[in-house]
mmCIF file of all heavy atoms in Angstrom:
data_model
loop_
_atom_site.group_PDB
_atom_site.id
_atom_site.type_symbol
_atom_site.label_atom_id
_atom_site.label_comp_id
_atom_site.label_asym_id
_atom_site.label_seq_id
_atom_site.Cartn_x
_atom_site.Cartn_y
_atom_site.Cartn_z
ATOM 1 N N ILE A 13 -119.097 -52.365 155.002
ATOM 2 C CA ILE A 13 -118.476 -51.150 155.539
ATOM 3 C C ILE A 13 -119.451 -50.413 156.458
ATOM 4 O O ILE A 13 -119.081 -49.934 157.537
ATOM 5 C CB ILE A 13 -117.992 -50.240 154.395
ATOM 6 C CG1 ILE A 13 -116.942 -50.955 153.554
ATOM 7 C CG2 ILE A 13 -117.464 -48.922 154.922
ATOM 8 C CD1 ILE A 13 -115.697 -51.349 154.303
ATOM 9 N N ILE A 14 -120.708 -50.336 156.062
ATOM 10 C CA ILE A 14 -121.717 -49.686 156.901
ATOM 11 C C ILE A 14 -121.883 -50.444 158.213
ATOM 12 O O ILE A 14 -122.022 -49.840 159.285
ATOM 13 C CB ILE A 14 -123.046 -49.562 156.135
ATOM 14 C CG1 ILE A 14 -122.904 -48.535 155.007
ATOM 15 C CG2 ILE A 14 -124.189 -49.172 157.064
ATOM 16 C CD1 ILE A 14 -124.062 -48.507 154.053
ATOM 17 N N SER A 15 -121.828 -51.761 158.157
ATOM 18 C CA SER A 15 -121.937 -52.566 159.376
ATOM 19 C C SER A 15 -120.752 -52.324 160.306
ATOM 20 O O SER A 15 -120.918 -52.266 161.528
ATOM 21 C CB SER A 15 -122.012 -54.053 159.028
ATOM 22 O OG SER A 15 -123.138 -54.327 158.259
ATOM 23 N N LEU A 16 -119.555 -52.189 159.739
ATOM 24 C CA LEU A 16 -118.384 -51.893 160.571
ATOM 25 C C LEU A 16 -118.522 -50.543 161.271
ATOM 26 O O LEU A 16 -118.200 -50.404 162.454
ATOM 27 C CB LEU A 16 -117.115 -51.916 159.721
ATOM 28 C CG LEU A 16 -116.624 -53.278 159.256
ATOM 29 C CD1 LEU A 16 -115.452 -53.116 158.293
ATOM 30 C CD2 LEU A 16 -116.227 -54.126 160.442
ATOM 31 N N TRP A 17 -119.007 -49.551 160.550
ATOM 32 C CA TRP A 17 -119.211 -48.235 161.171
ATOM 33 C C TRP A 17 -120.322 -48.284 162.225
ATOM 34 O O TRP A 17 -120.270 -47.552 163.223
ATOM 35 C CB TRP A 17 -119.500 -47.167 160.123
ATOM 36 C CG TRP A 17 -118.253 -46.719 159.432
ATOM 37 C CD1 TRP A 17 -117.847 -47.046 158.181
ATOM 38 C CD2 TRP A 17 -117.224 -45.865 159.970
ATOM 39 N NE1 TRP A 17 -116.634 -46.451 157.902
ATOM 40 C CE2 TRP A 17 -116.235 -45.718 158.976
ATOM 41 C CE3 TRP A 17 -117.050 -45.219 161.188
ATOM 42 C CZ2 TRP A 17 -115.084 -44.952 159.174
ATOM 43 C CZ3 TRP A 17 -115.913 -44.444 161.371
ATOM 44 C CH2 TRP A 17 -114.947 -44.322 160.384
ATOM 45 N N ALA A 18 -121.318 -49.139 162.029
ATOM 46 C CA ALA A 18 -122.374 -49.294 163.035
ATOM 47 C C ALA A 18 -121.814 -49.927 164.309
ATOM 48 O O ALA A 18 -122.211 -49.549 165.416
ATOM 49 C CB ALA A 18 -123.512 -50.140 162.476
ATOM 50 N N VAL A 19 -120.899 -50.871 164.154
ATOM 51 C CA VAL A 19 -120.246 -51.464 165.332
ATOM 52 C C VAL A 19 -119.432 -50.407 166.066
ATOM 53 O O VAL A 19 -119.458 -50.334 167.303
ATOM 54 C CB VAL A 19 -119.366 -52.664 164.918
ATOM 55 C CG1 VAL A 19 -118.464 -53.108 166.051
ATOM 56 C CG2 VAL A 19 -120.239 -53.810 164.449
ATOM 57 N N PHE A 20 -118.719 -49.565 165.330
ATOM 58 C CA PHE A 20 -117.972 -48.479 165.957
ATOM 59 C C PHE A 20 -118.905 -47.547 166.735
ATOM 60 O O PHE A 20 -118.620 -47.175 167.880
ATOM 61 C CB PHE A 20 -117.197 -47.690 164.903
ATOM 62 C CG PHE A 20 -116.691 -46.368 165.393
ATOM 63 C CD1 PHE A 20 -115.658 -46.307 166.309
ATOM 64 C CD2 PHE A 20 -117.264 -45.189 164.952
ATOM 65 C CE1 PHE A 20 -115.204 -45.082 166.775
ATOM 66 C CE2 PHE A 20 -116.817 -43.970 165.407
ATOM 67 C CZ PHE A 20 -115.777 -43.916 166.323
ATOM 68 N N ALA A 21 -120.020 -47.183 166.130
ATOM 69 C CA ALA A 21 -120.974 -46.290 166.802
ATOM 70 C C ALA A 21 -121.549 -46.946 168.056
ATOM 71 O O ALA A 21 -121.736 -46.275 169.080
ATOM 72 C CB ALA A 21 -122.091 -45.895 165.848
ATOM 73 N N SER A 22 -121.801 -48.244 167.999
ATOM 74 C CA SER A 22 -122.333 -48.927 169.187
ATOM 75 C C SER A 22 -121.277 -49.019 170.278
ATOM 76 O O SER A 22 -121.603 -48.934 171.470
ATOM 77 C CB SER A 22 -122.855 -50.316 168.827
ATOM 78 O OG SER A 22 -121.800 -51.162 168.449
ATOM 79 N N PHE A 23 -120.001 -49.186 169.917
ATOM 80 C CA PHE A 23 -118.937 -49.168 170.927
ATOM 81 C C PHE A 23 -118.897 -47.822 171.641
ATOM 82 O O PHE A 23 -118.785 -47.764 172.866
ATOM 83 C CB PHE A 23 -117.577 -49.432 170.284
ATOM 84 C CG PHE A 23 -117.253 -50.884 170.067
ATOM 85 C CD1 PHE A 23 -116.068 -51.245 169.455
ATOM 86 C CD2 PHE A 23 -118.106 -51.893 170.464
ATOM 87 C CE1 PHE A 23 -115.749 -52.566 169.234
ATOM 88 C CE2 PHE A 23 -117.802 -53.220 170.250
ATOM 89 C CZ PHE A 23 -116.620 -53.560 169.637
ATOM 90 N N VAL A 24 -118.988 -46.747 170.875
ATOM 91 C CA VAL A 24 -118.946 -45.415 171.479
ATOM 92 C C VAL A 24 -120.158 -45.187 172.376
ATOM 93 O O VAL A 24 -120.027 -44.694 173.505
ATOM 94 C CB VAL A 24 -118.856 -44.327 170.375
ATOM 95 C CG1 VAL A 24 -119.043 -42.943 170.957
ATOM 96 C CG2 VAL A 24 -117.531 -44.428 169.651
ATOM 97 N N ALA A 25 -121.342 -45.559 171.900
ATOM 98 C CA ALA A 25 -122.557 -45.361 172.691
ATOM 99 C C ALA A 25 -122.526 -46.196 173.968
ATOM 100 O O ALA A 25 -122.886 -45.708 175.053
ATOM 101 C CB ALA A 25 -123.788 -45.713 171.858
ATOM 102 N N CYS A 26 -122.081 -47.433 173.860
ATOM 103 C CA CYS A 26 -122.015 -48.293 175.055
ATOM 104 C C CYS A 26 -120.938 -47.830 176.025
ATOM 105 O O CYS A 26 -121.085 -47.989 177.243
ATOM 106 C CB CYS A 26 -121.776 -49.743 174.654
ATOM 107 S SG CYS A 26 -123.199 -50.506 173.878
ATOM 108 N N ALA A 27 -119.855 -47.257 175.508
ATOM 109 C CA ALA A 27 -118.817 -46.728 176.390
ATOM 110 C C ALA A 27 -119.359 -45.556 177.207
ATOM 111 O O ALA A 27 -119.165 -45.498 178.436
ATOM 112 C CB ALA A 27 -117.601 -46.298 175.575
ATOM 113 N N LEU A 28 -120.038 -44.641 176.537
ATOM 114 C CA LEU A 28 -120.604 -43.495 177.256
ATOM 115 C C LEU A 28 -121.677 -43.940 178.252
ATOM 116 O O LEU A 28 -121.693 -43.491 179.405
ATOM 117 C CB LEU A 28 -121.184 -42.495 176.263
ATOM 118 C CG LEU A 28 -120.175 -41.767 175.376
ATOM 119 C CD1 LEU A 28 -120.894 -40.922 174.348
ATOM 120 C CD2 LEU A 28 -119.243 -40.938 176.209
ATOM 121 N N ALA A 29 -122.551 -44.822 177.815
ATOM 122 C CA ALA A 29 -123.614 -45.293 178.702
ATOM 123 C C ALA A 29 -123.052 -46.101 179.858
ATOM 124 O O ALA A 29 -123.560 -46.030 180.989
ATOM 125 C CB ALA A 29 -124.613 -46.136 177.913
ATOM 126 N N GLY A 30 -122.001 -46.872 179.609
ATOM 127 C CA GLY A 30 -121.398 -47.665 180.672
ATOM 128 C C GLY A 30 -120.777 -46.816 181.760
ATOM 129 O O GLY A 30 -120.940 -47.100 182.958
ATOM 130 N N VAL A 31 -120.072 -45.779 181.368
ATOM 131 C CA VAL A 31 -119.446 -44.907 182.366
ATOM 132 C C VAL A 31 -120.508 -44.149 183.161
ATOM 133 O O VAL A 31 -120.449 -44.064 184.394
ATOM 134 C CB VAL A 31 -118.440 -43.951 181.687
ATOM 135 C CG1 VAL A 31 -117.947 -42.898 182.658
ATOM 136 C CG2 VAL A 31 -117.268 -44.742 181.122
ATOM 137 N N VAL A 32 -121.501 -43.610 182.467
ATOM 138 C CA VAL A 32 -122.544 -42.842 183.153
ATOM 139 C C VAL A 32 -123.370 -43.739 184.074
ATOM 140 O O VAL A 32 -123.624 -43.396 185.241
ATOM 141 C CB VAL A 32 -123.453 -42.118 182.127
ATOM 142 C CG1 VAL A 32 -124.666 -41.520 182.787
ATOM 143 C CG2 VAL A 32 -122.656 -41.053 181.395
ATOM 144 N N SER A 33 -123.789 -44.904 183.587
ATOM 145 C CA SER A 33 -124.586 -45.788 184.443
ATOM 146 C C SER A 33 -123.742 -46.400 185.551
ATOM 147 O O SER A 33 -124.262 -46.696 186.628
ATOM 148 C CB SER A 33 -125.244 -46.883 183.608
ATOM 149 O OG SER A 33 -124.262 -47.717 183.031
ATOM 150 N N GLY A 34 -122.445 -46.593 185.306
ATOM 151 C CA GLY A 34 -121.564 -47.088 186.372
ATOM 152 C C GLY A 34 -121.465 -46.114 187.520
ATOM 153 O O GLY A 34 -121.458 -46.516 188.699
ATOM 154 N N ILE A 35 -121.397 -44.835 187.205
ATOM 155 C CA ILE A 35 -121.365 -43.818 188.261
ATOM 156 C C ILE A 35 -122.679 -43.835 189.036
ATOM 157 O O ILE A 35 -122.692 -43.733 190.274
ATOM 158 C CB ILE A 35 -121.075 -42.429 187.648
ATOM 159 C CG1 ILE A 35 -119.637 -42.392 187.117
ATOM 160 C CG2 ILE A 35 -121.294 -41.323 188.670
ATOM 161 C CD1 ILE A 35 -119.307 -41.165 186.298
ATOM 162 N N ALA A 36 -123.785 -44.003 188.327
ATOM 163 C CA ALA A 36 -125.074 -44.076 189.011
ATOM 164 C C ALA A 36 -125.172 -45.333 189.870
ATOM 165 O O ALA A 36 -125.705 -45.295 190.988
ATOM 166 C CB ALA A 36 -126.209 -44.046 187.992
ATOM 167 N N PHE A 37 -124.648 -46.448 189.388
ATOM 168 C CA PHE A 37 -124.678 -47.693 190.166
ATOM 169 C C PHE A 37 -123.857 -47.584 191.442
ATOM 170 O O PHE A 37 -124.218 -48.173 192.461
ATOM 171 C CB PHE A 37 -124.142 -48.861 189.335
ATOM 172 C CG PHE A 37 -125.124 -49.449 188.374
ATOM 173 C CD1 PHE A 37 -124.740 -50.476 187.534
ATOM 174 C CD2 PHE A 37 -126.430 -48.978 188.275
ATOM 175 C CE1 PHE A 37 -125.620 -51.033 186.632
ATOM 176 C CE2 PHE A 37 -127.324 -49.519 187.387
ATOM 177 C CZ PHE A 37 -126.920 -50.550 186.561
ATOM 178 N N ILE A 38 -122.759 -46.846 191.384
ATOM 179 C CA ILE A 38 -121.921 -46.708 192.581
ATOM 180 C C ILE A 38 -122.709 -46.065 193.709
ATOM 181 O O ILE A 38 -122.633 -46.492 194.864
ATOM 182 C CB ILE A 38 -120.651 -45.889 192.265
ATOM 183 C CG1 ILE A 38 -119.682 -46.742 191.444
ATOM 184 C CG2 ILE A 38 -119.962 -45.412 193.529
ATOM 185 C CD1 ILE A 38 -118.448 -46.007 190.995
ATOM 186 N N PHE A 39 -123.480 -45.045 193.399
ATOM 187 C CA PHE A 39 -124.191 -44.309 194.445
ATOM 188 C C PHE A 39 -125.554 -44.892 194.780
ATOM 189 O O PHE A 39 -126.050 -44.685 195.884
ATOM 190 C CB PHE A 39 -124.341 -42.842 194.042
ATOM 191 C CG PHE A 39 -123.024 -42.129 193.948
ATOM 192 C CD1 PHE A 39 -122.557 -41.663 192.730
ATOM 193 C CD2 PHE A 39 -122.235 -41.946 195.073
ATOM 194 C CE1 PHE A 39 -121.350 -41.024 192.640
ATOM 195 C CE2 PHE A 39 -121.019 -41.303 194.991
ATOM 196 C CZ PHE A 39 -120.567 -40.840 193.774
ATOM 197 N N VAL A 40 -126.186 -45.607 193.868
ATOM 198 C CA VAL A 40 -127.554 -46.044 194.080
ATOM 199 C C VAL A 40 -127.644 -47.532 194.412
ATOM 200 O O VAL A 40 -128.259 -47.907 195.421
ATOM 201 C CB VAL A 40 -128.426 -45.722 192.841
ATOM 202 C CG1 VAL A 40 -129.837 -46.237 193.019
ATOM 203 C CG2 VAL A 40 -128.439 -44.225 192.576
ATOM 204 N N ILE A 41 -127.057 -48.396 193.629
ATOM 205 C CA ILE A 41 -127.291 -49.828 193.768
ATOM 206 C C ILE A 41 -126.170 -50.510 194.545
ATOM 207 O O ILE A 41 -126.351 -50.911 195.689
ATOM 208 C CB ILE A 41 -127.487 -50.480 192.377
ATOM 209 C CG1 ILE A 41 -128.712 -49.868 191.702
ATOM 210 C CG2 ILE A 41 -127.646 -51.985 192.497
ATOM 211 C CD1 ILE A 41 -128.918 -50.328 190.285
ATOM 212 N N ASN A 42 -125.024 -50.697 193.903
ATOM 213 C CA ASN A 42 -123.938 -51.447 194.508
ATOM 214 C C ASN A 42 -122.623 -50.887 193.979
ATOM 215 O O ASN A 42 -122.419 -50.825 192.779
ATOM 216 C CB ASN A 42 -124.078 -52.937 194.131
ATOM 217 C CG ASN A 42 -123.076 -53.819 194.833
ATOM 218 O OD1 ASN A 42 -122.250 -53.348 195.596
ATOM 219 N ND2 ASN A 42 -123.157 -55.107 194.554
ATOM 220 N N PRO A 43 -121.703 -50.513 194.876
ATOM 221 C CA PRO A 43 -120.447 -49.931 194.401
ATOM 222 C C PRO A 43 -119.614 -50.892 193.544
ATOM 223 O O PRO A 43 -118.976 -50.478 192.584
ATOM 224 C CB PRO A 43 -119.684 -49.575 195.681
ATOM 225 C CG PRO A 43 -120.683 -49.574 196.763
ATOM 226 C CD PRO A 43 -121.802 -50.448 196.336
ATOM 227 N N PHE A 44 -119.628 -52.193 193.874
ATOM 228 C CA PHE A 44 -118.828 -53.141 193.103
ATOM 229 C C PHE A 44 -119.378 -53.317 191.683
ATOM 230 O O PHE A 44 -118.622 -53.427 190.723
ATOM 231 C CB PHE A 44 -118.768 -54.488 193.827
ATOM 232 C CG PHE A 44 -118.091 -54.392 195.164
ATOM 233 C CD1 PHE A 44 -118.781 -54.693 196.315
ATOM 234 C CD2 PHE A 44 -116.772 -53.980 195.258
ATOM 235 C CE1 PHE A 44 -118.165 -54.603 197.548
ATOM 236 C CE2 PHE A 44 -116.146 -53.888 196.479
ATOM 237 C CZ PHE A 44 -116.841 -54.193 197.641
ATOM 238 N N THR A 45 -120.677 -53.335 191.572
ATOM 239 C CA THR A 45 -121.298 -53.412 190.249
ATOM 240 C C THR A 45 -120.988 -52.142 189.452
ATOM 241 O O THR A 45 -120.699 -52.214 188.243
ATOM 242 C CB THR A 45 -122.814 -53.591 190.371
ATOM 243 O OG1 THR A 45 -123.081 -54.737 191.159
ATOM 244 C CG2 THR A 45 -123.465 -53.739 189.014
ATOM 245 N N GLY A 46 -121.033 -51.014 190.100
ATOM 246 C CA GLY A 46 -120.730 -49.757 189.425
ATOM 247 C C GLY A 46 -119.301 -49.703 188.919
ATOM 248 O O GLY A 46 -119.046 -49.253 187.796
ATOM 249 N N ILE A 47 -118.365 -50.182 189.716
ATOM 250 C CA ILE A 47 -116.965 -50.198 189.286
ATOM 251 C C ILE A 47 -116.783 -51.136 188.098
ATOM 252 O O ILE A 47 -116.052 -50.838 187.144
ATOM 253 C CB ILE A 47 -116.051 -50.582 190.461
ATOM 254 C CG1 ILE A 47 -116.052 -49.446 191.494
ATOM 255 C CG2 ILE A 47 -114.630 -50.864 189.992
ATOM 256 C CD1 ILE A 47 -115.355 -49.782 192.787
ATOM 257 N N ALA A 48 -117.459 -52.283 188.131
ATOM 258 C CA ALA A 48 -117.370 -53.227 187.012
ATOM 259 C C ALA A 48 -117.955 -52.620 185.735
ATOM 260 O O ALA A 48 -117.390 -52.787 184.643
ATOM 261 C CB ALA A 48 -118.090 -54.518 187.364
ATOM 262 N N VAL A 49 -119.056 -51.915 185.849
ATOM 263 C CA VAL A 49 -119.679 -51.304 184.667
ATOM 264 C C VAL A 49 -118.807 -50.169 184.135
ATOM 265 O O VAL A 49 -118.673 -49.990 182.914
ATOM 266 C CB VAL A 49 -121.114 -50.830 184.993
ATOM 267 C CG1 VAL A 49 -121.702 -50.017 183.862
ATOM 268 C CG2 VAL A 49 -121.996 -52.018 185.309
ATOM 269 N N ILE A 50 -118.191 -49.401 185.012
ATOM 270 C CA ILE A 50 -117.267 -48.351 184.575
ATOM 271 C C ILE A 50 -116.074 -48.972 183.859
ATOM 272 O O ILE A 50 -115.620 -48.474 182.814
ATOM 273 C CB ILE A 50 -116.813 -47.475 185.764
ATOM 274 C CG1 ILE A 50 -117.967 -46.608 186.234
ATOM 275 C CG2 ILE A 50 -115.625 -46.603 185.370
ATOM 276 C CD1 ILE A 50 -117.667 -45.811 187.491
#
C-alpha cells in the first residue's frame, strides 16, 4: 500500500515537473520537445 501511494506521489511530482519544464523547453531549447514534455 505504501508503494502504491509512492507511485501516486511520483505521478503528481512528474506531472508538475513535466509541465513546468515543458514550458521552459518551449522558450529555451526546442518548441517541439517542450510540447512533447507538456
Side-chain angles (χ1 to χ4, degrees):
I13 299 299
I14 290 170
S15 298
L16 288 174
W17 282 104
V19 168
F20 165 71
S22 67
F23 277 178
V24 171
C26 289
L28 292 174
V31 171
V32 170
S33 64
I35 292 171
F37 280 178
I38 286 176
F39 295 114
V40 177
I41 298 174
N42 186 359
F44 297 118
T45 304
I47 291 171
V49 172
I50 289 174

